[in-house]
Amino acid sequence: MQSILYPGGIPLWRNVVFIQWVVQIISAIVVIAIVSGFIFNVANEIQDREIPFGFSFLDEAAQIPIGESVIQYDPSQSYLYGFTVAALNTVKASVLGVILATMLGIIIGVSRLSSNWLLSRLALVYIETFRNIPLLIQLLFWFLIILELPNVREGYVFFDAFYLNNSGFYLPWATPLGGFWPWAVLTVVGIVGAVLAFNYLQKRETETGQPSYPIIAGFVIFVVVTIIGLIIFTPLELVIPERQEGPFGRLQGGARWSGSFFALLIGLVVYTSAFIAEIVRAGIQAVNRGQTEAARSLGLNTNNSLRFVIFPQALRVIIPPLISQYLNLTKNSSLAAAIGYPDLVSVSTTMTQIAPAISLIGMVMVTYLAMSLFYSLVGNIYNRITRYAGVG
Amino acid sequence: MTVGVPGWIRANLFSSPTDGIITIILGFVVALAIFQSINWVFFTASWEVVTSRIPLYVIGRYPQEFYWRPETALLLISILLGMAWRLWGGIARGFAIAIIIVTLLAGTLPYLGVDLGAPRYDATVAPDPPPVSLREKNRDISDAQRANAIDQKDITTLTGTTYLAGTLDGDEDRSDYYSFTITDAMKFKTILAQQDANANLFLEDVNGAVIQSSDNSGTSDDSITTTIDPGTYYIRVDSQQTADNAYVLSYSVTDPPDLLVNLLFIINFLAVAIGYGLATIRAIGTFRNFLILSLVFFIVSAILVIGTSYIPGLDPVATQDLGGLTLNLLLAAIGIVCSIPIGIALALGRRSHLPVLKYACVVFIEVIRGVPLITLLFMSRHMLPLTFPETVSIDELYLAMITITLFSSAYMAENVRGGMAAVATGQTEAAHALGLRGWQTTVLITLPQGLRNIIPAIVGQAISLFKDTSLVFIIGMLDLVEMGRVTIQGNLDFVDDGHEVYIFIAAVFWVFTFAMSYISRRIERALGVGRR
Amino acid sequence: MKTKLLIAMLAMVSVFAVAFSACTDDSGPTDADLQNAQATASAAQSALSDANARADAAEARADEADKMAEDAKMMADEAMMSMEDTAGRLAQVQDRGHIICASRNDVPGYGSLDDAGRNVGFDIDLCRALATAVLGDPEAIEIQFITAAERGPTIQSGEVDMLVRTVTWTTSRDAQWGNYAQTMFYDGQGFMVPADLGVTSAYELGGAAVCVTSGTTTELNMADFFRQNNLEYNPNVFEDTDVVLDAYESGQCDVFTNDRSQLAALRTALPNPDDHVILPETISEEPLGPVVPHGDDQWFDIVKTVMSGLIYAEAYGINSGNVGSVAAGDNVKAKRLLGTEGTIGQEALGLSETFMQDVINAVGNYGEIYDRNLGPDGIDLPRENGRNALWSNAPCTDCPKGGQIYAAPLR
């Protein structure tokens, strides 16, 4: 192509393609130099100073105590297994935290816009209080509240099966028997069926305007299938907590959700929900006011206009910051060590007694990174699905 | 529609039955919570763990002879506040007035007998066994500077040597004497408490002449506070009863109030006034000038507080001595200010069409955002030094600054990216149509509009970063939270007073973050979010 | 478009530039210095042999040659010394002007802050003693606060001169972390329970909820103990002592396990100390003492000698009050320790002849350090007849004896 400015052809220094290549190469060199320099130097120094670094310790017996675990744990098991147990504890707290914080956050965020003066003011106070105090202090606060419960010997007992005291909530729990897997398969089938039914009925409701109760129908299908499975296969055995002999009155069997776990969960949920509430409020306010008015003029009541018109639109604004709150919640769960919940950071700290600290902290970082990337991935997928069609 | 208070109540609190129930339940809960908190704060809690260490919480172990430096920085900030008051009024006026009140109190209270400095010696002694083990306590009072902590026994000072055996047993021996010696002019305070029956307190010089006395009746506490010259003195406890009379005597010695330190506090209102005055001059009182001045004052303040070896008279302060709330504020401010340019660079990199640059930025941002700050700080303390030759050592303070800045810039990059994405495509197209080049469009059109969009987000990030700075304990620094923790953990007297410390810290953080979030909401409103 | 990228890149580069410029060169010895020193040394040595040869060859010029040889020898010595210096931590410390100790600030008696914010405690005083020995100034210390997980990396990388942070001496730590210089305090792990539970022995703790602070060998010992004795238990691991105390007082944990010295001290902080008993069993050995980085024998020996000096000072009855008169007195062993007669190896270690006088003047002997921090003026742990008294036939007359505090004799 002949240029008017450069009749002799575009000179190299104005050639876009060329310059882009140069920039690419230079930046690649810079990045590679920094990264490789970092790795080289560190590797060198680790060798020079004889700093133990490596992962061979992972197979050895961990010999450390872990207070509670999702899967069975014993100190004679390996470091890797212990690390997994701790990671699962973190996952447990963060997944439950994410779900509950979202629910509470939406309630508070909507209350913030309520017409009840006291309610909206209280929502504001809630947000400004819990958002502005360091989480660590809040966790300690909730932990102290939990400690106010009577101890395990004097705590509350319901139906001789549920125990509530300051070391936790003890409840009957099912342990899997032989028929577990067939039952699990059947349950999955039930869930799929329930979802299909829900979708079908929901669609019919919106198309015909006839009330078709999609939620109830889906739920009924799920419950019926599950119960049938329970009867046929007897997959689970219910274990009820029982009090042990001895001066300590320890409760054994069933499941225990420890006081530390509750304090952590409450703290994370309360703290994060304050942020989520603000996000929800901003999201709802970001929806054009005309939308509400239009919904009203179509005859939808407040509830339905919120549910079918405002919220779906607000969601588009809400989701990206919401995902980053999920990231924060997950990372914040690393403060659990302060109140005695054996999360990833807490257990790794214990492991550094003998195992190399740098390797362990590196593993902790990678694990958190994996969880964060998972949330980011979910967020990105959602963004892609809900993107406005035709808007670039 | 009814008006007045009943009308308002009906409209806002009891507009429907559900509303009414909600109001009543919430009202009950709120009343109970307020009652309980007041009860605890004023009657149950013991606040000594906080009041005895105020300077440590505010500024850490900063050397006393350098106190004028952070105070000067505070004056600069006050000038800015004064300007803000004039420019915007409202909340800025509130802050300015608050800072005037706080500084006036801080500057005058030491002269009104209230101790704000940590007592350099503070012990509670009962008459039996003899009061103190001397050598260790001696050094605490004698040294004018904390620098000489241990080899001070040659400078003998406060010693509870002359102690008359026996209790105040009425008949013969109705006075107990405690003697002490000081080598510098000091502020002396003694309290006589927990008496069984009425007893009085006297401070006498070496010849027995009474300098000051306290003769409260009954078993109420007696106390003496006075500034005394070097010399030997006696504390005399006189029983007024013929019965046995047990008591507890406590005494403490502090430096007399430092005139320069207090004066710099007291003149703070002048700085606010100067700022206000400056802003009334039309040429100076613009938003743009305010921003420029803020940046300049910020840099000057940071240099004043940290110190530098390049400017004589501003010796660098040892990293271990920098702490308390000042450290939190300093690190958060540096983190936010420095992360803005880096964040912009990263965001531009991430928006670039060149894959190498783009993915380098993406990886950096996602990795930094994906891991807890604790682990980043750990690695920066133990891995970063390994990337340098053994002879190069990086000060912990700079490690903290670098790590926090990098951490913040990853979040900043995402904010900037979001802000730029929100700029309407039409703007870019219009710029192109006007013949602007690519970089001109970015620098002149997209970026400024994007940055304006994200001002609330930046304030929000400042809030989180401020709270996150409490994690620098990982690299051994004593910020406000860690100082509180150390106070509790390291003293058997305080190990059961954790709640008071944490409530205090929570309140301090709350005040600052609430102020910031208020500003954020004001900006948001000014930008018209939610009012389309 | 492309310039935008350039701006971005420039910004990135400038970030790293800032990062790099933030580091301070502490003007320590470099490889170049070392090479120079070696070059000088070999030059001097060849000059020496040269001079010797010439001296042999021509008697007439012997005087001159001798003088040359002497000069050359001096040069060589100097060069060798500077070579030694560049390699050693002692020289680094003297160059730097202060000692860096990794310690803590959150355990009463061992390392904490007083009301004015000064570092105080048993561990801190050991660091001061070392600073006095090497630099003559007890204040020439920099205390770096580290968390439990950081102890290993800190001492392994050699970024600190000494680690004194209630670190239990274990074999794998000795192998991987650094060299343990001397046991300065013997501790052991015990259990505290509320008296009203009626428990009298650690072997009756089956089914208990046990609380412990994290990052100490305490956790591992607890796990071993319960596993070994087939006892069920619920472990609760907390970061901070005050939270453990809260949990213990509320009854969330039935048992609080820690080093016995800490238990004894913390018991006094509880509202009613008599309501709590410390069980008789000691389930572990916890020898505590300073650790130095691997790879510098001279430094290792210096720390050991200073620690020995503190212990023997008490044994010989030398304290901060009488150090001057003892140095001039007639106790031969004491005079050797104080450097007024004979030697305990100061010269070989690169310390001043009378360094122990300075040390005792500044921080006192072992007993004084103990009393100040852990004894009557500190957290009030009895020493009489305990493991931390001096050995049974220590030469002193009125010092606590019958314990295990013992060190390499000074000669």
Side-chain angles (χ1 to χ4, degrees):
Chain A
M1 199 181 85
Q2 197 73 0
S3 164
I4 306 162
L5 286 174
Y6 306 107
I10 299 171
L12 216 48
W13 50 276
R14 303 230 71 155
N15 185 327
V16 176
V17 177
F18 174 76
I19 289 174
Q20 287 196 348
W21 270 105
V22 169
V23 173
Q24 287 251 53
I25 290 168
I26 292 174
S27 51
I29 290 172
V30 171
V31 168
I32 292 170
I34 290 172
V35 171
S36 63
F38 184 85
I39 293 172
F40 177 79
N41 259 336
V42 169
N44 232 7
E45 289 290 319
I46 282 179
Q47 205 155 33
D48 273 8
R49 304 188 191 185
E50 294 174 357
I51 297 173
F53 176 80
F55 297 95
S56 53
F57 69 93
L58 285 175
D59 307 331
E60 290 161 24
Q63 299 181 319
I64 60 156
I66 300 180
E68 55 187 300
S69 53
V70 182
I71 48 178
Q72 276 295 318
Y73 170 79
D74 184 68
S76 61
Q77 274 157 319
S78 70
Y79 276 104
L80 186 61
Y81 189 82
F83 191 86
T84 316
V85 166
L88 286 177
N89 278 344
T90 293
V91 169
K92 171 177 154 195
S94 80
V95 167
L96 274 175
V98 160
I99 295 169
L100 295 176
T102 311
M103 283 159 43
L104 189 61
I106 290 173
I107 293 171
I108 307 270
V110 173
S111 310
R112 178 81 182 81
L113 299 170
S114 156
S115 58
N116 183 322
W117 181 86
L118 189 60
L119 187 60
S120 82
R121 283 286 122 169
L122 274 184
L124 178 67
V125 169
Y126 177 95
I127 292 169
E128 291 300 350
T129 308
F130 293 115
R131 203 166 65 141
N132 290 337
I133 295 174
L135 178 59
L136 176 66
I137 290 167
Q138 295 192 36
L139 289 180
L140 290 170
F141 173 76
W142 294 115
F143 185 63
L144 291 175
I145 297 274
I146 297 233
L147 289 184
E148 289 294 313
L149 287 170
N151 67 28
V152 69
R153 292 176 289 282
E154 295 149 8
Y156 309 108
V157 184
F158 310 101
F159 312 116
D160 274 339
F162 297 87
Y163 297 81
L164 179 66
N165 48 56
N166 65 10
S167 50
F169 181 53
Y170 296 76
L171 65 168
W173 201 250
T175 45
L177 296 176
F180 179 77
W181 286 113
W183 172 76
V185 170
L186 191 68
T187 309
V188 170
V189 171
I191 291 172
V192 171
V195 169
L196 287 178
F198 174 83
N199 279 347
Y200 172 73
L201 292 173
Q202 170 96 337
K203 202 172 163 195
R204 210 182 73 165
E205 186 176 85
T206 37
E207 276 169 5
T208 63
Q210 300 287 321
S212 310
Y213 312 108
I215 296 175
I216 296 171
F219 189 69
V220 166
I221 291 176
F222 168 71
V223 169
V224 167
V225 171
T226 310
I227 290 176
I228 290 173
L230 280 175
I231 294 168
I232 300 175
F233 298 114
T234 57
L236 300 166
E237 184 193 17
L238 206 61
V239 182
I240 296 169
E242 273 172 32
R243 203 177 280 284
Q244 246 181 8
E245 293 290 309
F248 303 109
R250 181 176 194 249
L251 293 163
Q252 212 172 17
R256 167 184 176 233
W257 294 18
S258 73
S260 302
F261 173 72
F262 277 115
L264 175 70
L265 192 62
I266 297 172
L268 286 175
V269 166
V270 166
Y271 182 74
T272 313
S273 66
F275 287 90
I276 293 181
E278 272 298 272
I279 293 170
V280 168
R281 177 192 64 86
I284 291 175
Q285 283 186 337
V287 176
N288 202 315
R289 195 162 281 179
Q291 296 284 329
T292 324
E293 286 151 12
R296 283 299 181 79
S297 61
L298 284 174
L300 292 175
N301 61 17
T302 322
N303 210 355
N304 279 346
S305 73
L306 203 60
R307 186 174 145 206
F308 291 114
V309 179
I310 309 299
F311 220 74
Q313 296 187 58
L315 225 46
R316 215 167 271 121
V317 185
I318 290 173
I319 290 293
L322 194 63
I323 294 290
S324 91
Q325 283 310 318
Y326 292 171
L327 286 187
N328 286 345
L329 186 145
T330 308
K331 287 190 288 173
N332 285 337
S333 70
S334 63
L335 293 172
I339 52 169
Y341 182 68
D343 81 317
L344 204 48
V345 171
S346 164
V347 171
S348 320
T349 305
T350 306
M351 287 178 172
T352 58
Q353 300 283 332
I354 291 163
I358 289 177
S359 313
L360 273 166
I361 301 291
M363 284 168 66
V364 170
M365 291 174 92
V366 170
T367 314
Y368 275 106
L369 193 58
M371 283 190 257
S372 300
L373 290 180
F374 175 75
Y375 283 126
S376 292
L377 188 72
V378 172
N380 282 339
I381 290 173
Y382 181 87
N383 261 351
R384 205 156 293 166
I385 295 170
T386 59
R387 190 179 285 169
Y388 281 115
V391 175
Chain B
M1 199 169 151
T2 48
V3 286
V5 176
W8 184 90
I9 288 176
R10 187 169 305 162
N12 290 296
L13 297 177
F14 296 96
S15 61
S16 70
T18 341
D19 228 21
I21 292 168
I22 292 177
T23 303
I24 289 169
I25 294 173
L26 288 180
F28 179 72
V29 171
V30 169
L32 192 72
I34 291 176
F35 173 76
Q36 288 288 346
S37 332
I38 289 178
N39 187 30
W40 186 81
V41 167
F42 290 101
F43 301 107
T44 315
S46 120
W47 293 104
E48 196 205 337
V49 61
V50 174
T51 52
S52 66
R53 294 187 166 200
I54 295 246
L56 286 182
Y57 292 122
V58 175
I59 193 145
R61 311 190 287 172
Y62 208 82
Q64 266 179 10
E65 64 267 30
F66 293 162
Y67 270 6
W68 62 271
R69 281 157 49 175
E71 286 187 298
T72 312
L74 188 65
L75 288 180
L76 294 179
I77 294 166
S78 305
I79 291 178
L80 290 177
L81 268 180
M83 286 183 77
W85 179 356
R86 173 78 178 95
L87 291 175
W88 298 292
I91 188 77
R93 183 183 56 202
F95 290 151
I97 292 173
I99 209 162
I100 288 175
I101 294 173
V102 169
T103 49
L104 271 182
L105 282 178
T108 48
L109 281 182
Y111 296 101
L112 303 174
V114 179
D115 268 328
L116 290 174
R120 294 222 250 140
Y121 167 54
D122 196 346
T124 301
V125 293
D128 189 24
V132 279
S133 142
L134 307 182
R135 199 172 93 64
E136 184 48 18
K137 314 289 177 180
N138 293 350
R139 72 154 203 256
D140 288 56
I141 314 163
S142 56
D143 53 348
Q145 285 148 23
R146 127 156 53 103
N148 321 308
I150 239 167
D151 56 347
Q152 294 297 331
K153 58 186 179 296
D154 45 332
I155 320 167
T156 41
T157 47
L158 190 64
T159 58
T161 42
T162 315
Y163 147 70
L164 300 181
T167 48
L168 295 170
D169 59 4
D171 295 335
E172 295 158 14
D173 176 21
R174 285 168 60 174
S175 298
D176 276 357
Y177 283 88
Y178 299 93
S179 89
F180 65 92
T181 307
I182 57 167
T183 51
D184 300 319
M186 289 279 173
K187 208 177 101 190
F188 177 77
K189 181 176 184 182
T190 178
I191 299 172
L192 177 68
Q194 298 174 29
Q195 321 152 36
D196 287 343
N198 189 14
N200 291 337
L201 189 61
F202 299 86
L203 179 68
E204 299 173 354
D205 70 8
V206 70
N207 302 316
V210 175
I211 296 171
Q212 204 174 337
S213 63
S214 167
D215 51 3
N216 289 342
S217 60
T219 54
S220 56
D221 291 1
D222 289 281
S223 81
I224 291 177
T225 307
T226 181
T227 304
I228 43 180
D229 295 327
T232 300
Y233 297 88
Y234 294 102
I235 308 167
R236 179 157 60 92
V237 182
D238 259 12
S239 179
Q240 303 296 308
Q241 236 69 33
T242 44
D244 281 2
N245 196 351
Y247 61 90
V248 171
L249 182 74
S250 68
Y251 49 104
S252 63
V253 178
T254 34
D255 282 327
D258 185 330
L259 191 64
L260 176 67
V261 168
N262 291 310
L263 201 63
L264 281 172
F265 273 134
I266 292 170
I267 63 168
N268 204 285
F269 71 94
L270 286 178
V272 176
I274 290 171
Y276 191 93
L278 277 178
T280 50
I281 303 168
R282 189 163 290 180
I284 301 175
T286 62
F287 181 63
R288 184 202 176 92
N289 285 346
F290 179 78
L291 272 189
I292 295 171
L293 213 57
S294 302
L295 198 64
V296 172
F297 280 6
F298 165 70
I299 294 169
V300 173
S301 302
I303 292 175
L304 270 175
V305 173
I306 301 169
T308 167
S309 45
Y310 298 110
I311 303 173
L314 286 184
D315 297 332
V317 173
T319 299
Q320 314 288 330
D321 290 348
L322 201 60
L325 178 64
T326 314
L327 180 68
N328 294 100
L329 290 171
L330 186 74
L331 286 175
I334 286 177
I336 282 293
V337 171
C338 298
S339 70
I340 289 175
I342 305 173
I344 292 175
L346 284 170
L348 293 179
R350 190 167 184 171
R351 277 166 63 96
S352 136
H353 299 298
L354 305 181
V356 176
L357 200 57
K358 180 175 176 179
Y359 286 105
C361 291
V362 169
V363 168
F364 179 85
I365 292 171
E366 292 301 331
V367 167
I368 298 273
R369 266 161 44 99
V371 298
L373 181 55
I374 292 189
T375 57
L376 278 179
L377 285 167
F378 182 95
M379 283 300 183
S380 80
R381 187 179 196 183
H382 297 292
M383 295 296 272
L384 216 56
L386 297 185
T387 61
F388 299 102
E390 213 163 336
T391 51
V392 177
S393 71
I394 312 173
D395 198 278
E396 266 82 11
L397 179 63
Y398 292 104
L399 276 183
M401 285 181 189
I402 293 170
T403 315
I404 284 177
T405 303
L406 290 182
F407 178 76
S408 168
S409 55
Y411 283 83
M412 192 63 78
E414 286 302 274
N415 285 338
V416 173
R417 192 168 69 109
M420 288 173 74
V423 176
T425 348
Q427 295 284 331
T428 326
E429 286 157 8
H432 280 305
L434 285 173
L436 293 183
R437 290 171 197 285
W439 68 270
Q440 287 172 323
T441 313
T442 307
V443 172
L444 299 174
I445 309 292
T446 328
L447 197 56
Q449 295 191 44
L451 286 183
R452 209 196 60 179
N453 283 345
I454 60 161
I455 290 175
I458 292 181
V459 180
Q461 199 187 323
I463 295 175
S464 334
L465 198 65
F466 177 53
K467 283 180 291 177
D468 284 342
T469 52
S470 61
L471 296 176
V472 291
F473 76 87
I474 287 285
I475 46 182
M477 304 191 72
L478 293 165
D479 78 302
L480 176 60
V481 178
E482 180 67 0
M483 192 62 88
R485 209 187 68 85
V486 162
T487 301
I488 307 163
Q489 308 294 314
N491 292 279
L492 289 178
D493 299 338
F494 295 144
V495 79
D496 237 11
D497 292 342
H499 314 178
E500 284 84 350
V501 174
Y502 289 126
I503 295 271
F504 164 73
I505 292 172
V508 171
F509 269 91
W510 188 85
V511 166
F512 279 89
T513 47
F514 178 73
M516 284 192 260
S517 81
Y518 188 91
I519 293 169
S520 154
R521 256 182 296 137
R522 288 294 290 257
I523 297 172
E524 214 174 302
R525 204 177 299 166
L527 293 175
V529 175
R531 289 202 168 185
R532 275 170 287 173
Chain C
M1 232 5 163
K2 57 246 165 185
T3 323
K4 179 178 79 183
L5 303 172
L6 274 176
I7 295 171
M9 273 194 43
L10 272 177
M12 273 185 71
V13 171
S14 62
V15 171
F16 285 102
V18 170
F20 277 87
S21 64
C23 19
T24 52
D25 199 310
D26 69 2
S27 70
T30 61
D31 284 352
D33 288 354
L34 195 66
Q35 274 169 12
N36 281 345
Q38 271 168 341
T40 329
S42 57
Q45 257 164 0
S46 67
L48 175 64
S49 56
D50 207 26
N52 282 343
R54 267 185 280 174
D56 281 347
E59 263 187 17
R61 295 195 328 222
D63 288 349
E64 199 189 327
D66 273 350
K67 196 169 166 281
M68 265 183 79
E70 230 169 70
D71 285 351
K73 205 171 171 180
M74 266 175 63
M75 257 174 85
D77 281 349
E78 256 174 44
M80 293 305 285
M81 258 175 74
S82 88
M83 248 178 82
E84 232 174 62
D85 283 355
T86 45
R89 188 170 284 275
L90 177 63
Q92 277 179 36
V93 167
Q94 282 166 343
D95 229 39
R96 198 194 299 132
H98 63 262
I99 287 202
I100 304 177
C101 292
S103 189
R104 65 195 307 173
N105 47 26
D106 53 0
V107 178
Y110 294 93
S112 61
L113 300 184
D114 67 5
D115 275 351
R118 276 188 308 249
N119 293 303
V120 290
F122 186 79
D123 287 346
I124 308 293
D125 279 352
L126 297 185
C127 184
R128 288 187 197 280
L130 183 65
T132 320
V134 175
L135 301 163
D137 180 5
E139 290 307 315
I141 55 168
E142 177 187 331
I143 305 292
Q144 288 198 357
F145 305 126
I146 55 168
T147 59
E150 291 177 296
R151 291 177 297 182
T154 307
I155 194 72
Q156 282 155 1
S157 66
E159 62 202 83
V160 298
D161 303 316
M162 184 163 82
L163 169 68
V164 267
R165 192 194 174 280
T166 54
V167 205
T168 303
W169 179 17
T170 71
T171 47
S172 63
R173 285 177 178 178
D174 209 342
Q176 292 175 2
W177 288 11
N179 288 324
Y180 277 78
Q182 170 76 39
T183 302
M184 296 302 278
F185 190 83
Y186 290 93
D187 218 329
Q189 188 175 341
F191 296 97
M192 178 162 74
V193 291
D196 60 10
L197 282 177
V199 177
T200 54
S201 155
Y203 297 99
E204 297 166 18
L205 289 179
V210 186
C211 280
V212 62
T213 43
S214 66
T216 57
T217 41
T218 326
E219 282 174 87
L220 309 181
N221 298 331
M222 172 184 78
D224 281 358
F225 175 79
F226 283 97
R227 198 147 64 100
Q228 190 65 53
N229 294 297
N230 274 326
L231 298 172
E232 297 269 350
Y233 75 116
N234 287 342
N236 286 353
V237 183
F238 296 94
E239 261 177 351
D240 285 342
T241 319
D242 63 317
V243 186
V244 174
L245 278 188
D246 283 332
Y248 176 74
E249 285 175 67
S250 77
Q252 194 200 43
C253 4
D254 308 307
V255 185
F256 178 12
T257 179
N258 206 327
D259 287 350
R260 294 183 79 89
S261 67
Q262 288 297 304
L263 284 184
L266 290 169
R267 181 165 165 265
T268 62
L270 291 170
N272 295 311
D274 294 339
D275 291 352
H276 307 274
V277 290
I278 297 176
L279 299 178
E281 288 84 0
T282 302
I283 63 162
S284 74
E285 298 73 42
E286 312 276 347
L288 312 177
V291 193
V292 296
H294 276 145
D296 190 333
D297 290 349
Q298 186 196 20
W299 186 247
F300 184 30
D301 292 339
I302 288 175
V303 175
K304 279 199 287 195
T305 308
V306 174
M307 298 304 143
S308 288
L310 291 174
I311 291 170
Y312 277 95
E314 188 186 15
Y316 296 154
I318 314 169
N319 58 43
S320 55
N322 65 9
V323 57
S325 55
V326 174
D330 52 6
N331 183 336
V332 181
K333 285 179 168 177
K335 286 175 80 173
R336 194 184 305 137
L337 171 60
L338 297 177
T340 44
E341 186 185 308
T343 174
I344 59 168
Q346 295 99 322
E347 232 176 306
L349 293 172
L351 297 172
S352 87
E353 199 71 16
T354 56
F355 76 96
M356 271 318 289
Q357 288 189 31
D358 303 336
V359 171
I360 293 167
N361 248 321
V363 296
N365 62 32
Y366 178 83
E368 286 176 272
I369 295 175
Y370 187 101
D371 286 349
R372 181 160 62 230
N373 300 299
L374 305 175
D377 296 342
I379 57 176
D380 211 8
L381 299 177
R383 193 170 163 222
E384 219 55 60
N385 298 320
R387 298 169 88 178
N388 294 301
L390 296 183
W391 66 101
S392 311
N393 55 351
C396 48
T397 47
D398 55 352
C399 61
K401 286 188 203 177
Q404 290 171 317
I405 294 297
Y406 188 74
L410 301 167
R411 188 170 271 280

